[in-house]
């Protein structure tokens, strides 16, 4: 037993090992790039409380969608959407604003209250165009929603 403890003390879990393992785990859960039919299965809303965020003080919905036929199986996809229009310095909408606008367009609820947009979109089959951005420096690989339309 003492030999095992002495041997055990020769090992340490390094921060690099933890970071690398966490990154590999996260990357294994990413959705491959493509367009997938799916349906919103639920959402939660909260008022953004992150000072400095373009959505500070505004509602943001965290949406869960079930995507059909992703590499032969169903997969959950999580994304955020906000009815608050926030734009980057180049005039493009932030992803959360663009996602909400796309949900309103897809559900034909442009001009309706935000809750109606989400409730209506949840009852529809939608088409999600998902993009995969590779890891860059300290930023991990991630999915982002490129487009949302009504499924045909």
């Amino acid at each position: 037993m003492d030999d095992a403890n002495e041997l055990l003390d020769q090992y340490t879990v390094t921060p690099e090992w933890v970071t690398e393992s966490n990154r590999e785990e996260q990357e294994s859960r990413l959705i491959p790039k493509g367009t997938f039919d799916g349906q919103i299965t639920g959402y939660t809303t909260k008022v953004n409380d992150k000072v400095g965020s373009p959505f500070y003080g505004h509602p943001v919905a965290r949406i869960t969608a079930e995507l059909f036929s992703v590499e032969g199986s169903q997969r959950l996809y999580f994304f955020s959407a906000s009815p608050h229009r926030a734009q980057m310095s180049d005039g493009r909408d932030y992803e959360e604003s663009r996602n909400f606008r796309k949900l309103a367009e897809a559900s034909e609820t442009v001009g309706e209250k935000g809750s109606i947009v989400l409730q209506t979109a949840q009852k529809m089959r939608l088409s999600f165009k998902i993009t995969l951005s590779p890891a860059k420096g300290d930023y991990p690989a991630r999915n982002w929603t490129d487009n949302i339309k009504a499924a045909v």
Side-chain angles (χ1 to χ4, degrees):
M1 183 91 156
D2 287 310
D3 290 338
N5 282 332
E6 287 177 25
L7 190 58
L8 182 65
D9 286 343
Q10 294 177 18
Y11 295 88
T12 60
V13 175
T14 64
E16 294 81 13
W17 180 15
V18 171
T19 301
E20 181 180 310
S21 296
N22 287 345
R23 182 172 274 186
E24 288 171 1
E25 237 177 77
Q26 182 183 16
E27 288 179 4
S28 73
R29 291 189 294 251
L30 293 173
I31 305 290
K33 179 180 179 178
T35 301
F36 309 98
D37 281 0
Q39 188 164 7
I40 294 172
T41 58
Y43 60 88
T44 58
T45 56
K46 70 173 195 161
V47 174
N48 185 304
D49 60 358
K50 293 181 184 170
V51 176
S53 165
F55 297 96
Y56 179 75
H58 299 282
V60 176
R62 185 69 177 154
I63 300 171
T64 304
E66 184 174 12
L67 303 180
F68 310 129
S69 196
V70 177
E71 297 179 331
S73 63
Q74 295 179 334
R75 296 275 305 272
L76 291 180
Y77 177 61
F78 303 93
F79 66 99
S80 296
S82 177
H84 170 66
R85 185 173 190 191
Q87 295 180 303
M88 294 179 254
S89 59
D90 63 4
R92 292 180 299 140
D93 287 341
Y94 277 93
E95 181 181 2
E96 294 87 340
S97 298
R98 185 179 65 248
N99 288 342
F100 205 91
R101 177 176 48 86
K102 293 291 186 176
L103 287 171
E105 290 171 358
S107 62
E108 298 180 354
T109 54
V110 172
E112 298 287 343
K113 293 181 180 184
S115 60
I116 300 298
V117 172
L118 292 175
Q119 291 166 12
T120 304
Q122 190 173 9
K123 297 174 186 173
M124 300 178 60
R125 188 175 179 110
L126 299 166
S127 177
F128 297 88
K129 183 176 180 184
I130 308 297
T131 300
L132 178 61
S133 294
K136 286 185 185 174
D138 291 338
Y139 296 101
R142 70 179 283 263
N143 284 125
W144 52 281
T145 311
D146 192 34
N147 200 4
I148 304 169
K149 299 188 300 188
V152 182

